[in-house]
Amino acid sequence: MVIAIDFDGTIVEDAYPEIGDPKIFAFETLKEMQKAHNQLILWTSREGDELEEAVDFCRKNGIQFYAVNNSYPEEKYDENMSRKINCEVFVSHKNIGGLMGWGETWQEIKKISGEDKLYEKEKALTQGFMGKIVNIFRN
């Protein structure tokens, strides 16, 4: 799944043009998203040196984005084209109702992607398999 994520006020506390403190569980959740094979795009109004500072800050905290302010890494900015991002989910503190916690955000994304159902199937298969192994050793 392709997930676009805002920076100021979403990944970090809003202190623009400075970089605020990381939001609680932001980087931990982003790492889990990447482990689940989601493509993360940093989608921010930052430009130039301020953008590079944000990208470097994320990299130092263990997050390397698939693309930055583009739908894909090779995309070239063209002012004659729409700046809409091609993604399935956009995470921002400016969502209606604001940004829910990062834990809740991750749970919602897993529901949207169906990953929560995949986890439950995997868990059931593993438990069934382990039960069969236990029965083999009991006999």
Side-chain angles (χ1 to χ4, degrees), residues 6-110:
D6 185 26
F7 184 72
D8 295 292
T10 303
I11 295 175
V12 298
E13 297 292 338
D14 196 351
Y16 183 83
E18 304 301 318
I19 293 179
D21 292 329
K23 291 274 197 164
I24 294 173
F25 299 121
F27 285 105
E28 294 84 353
T29 305
L30 294 171
K31 289 174 188 174
E32 288 301 312
M33 289 178 181
Q34 286 186 323
K35 282 184 197 172
H37 306 287
N38 293 293
Q39 291 181 329
L40 305 184
I41 296 174
L42 182 63
W43 188 247
T44 177
S45 60
R46 285 180 175 251
E47 300 176 313
D49 291 341
E50 293 167 349
L51 176 60
E52 287 305 313
E53 288 173 8
V55 170
D56 288 342
F57 183 80
C58 290
R59 190 176 300 120
K60 287 176 186 169
N61 282 281
I63 297 299
Q64 179 76 35
F65 291 97
Y66 167 71
V68 176
N69 285 349
N70 291 315
S71 294
Y72 51 92
E74 302 81 19
E75 183 180 36
K76 301 291 182 214
Y77 176 70
D78 181 349
E79 63 187 39
N80 297 316
M81 294 180 68
S82 170
R83 287 288 296 147
K84 286 190 174 184
I85 191 80
N86 185 16
C87 67
E88 291 145 305
V89 174
F90 182 65
V91 179
S92 174
H93 68 293
K94 293 185 179 180
N95 292 339
I96 294 175
L99 179 68
M100 59 181 101
W102 274 99
E104 292 88 356
T105 298
W106 181 220
Q107 293 305 314
E108 286 299 313
I109 289 171
K110 288 196 293 187

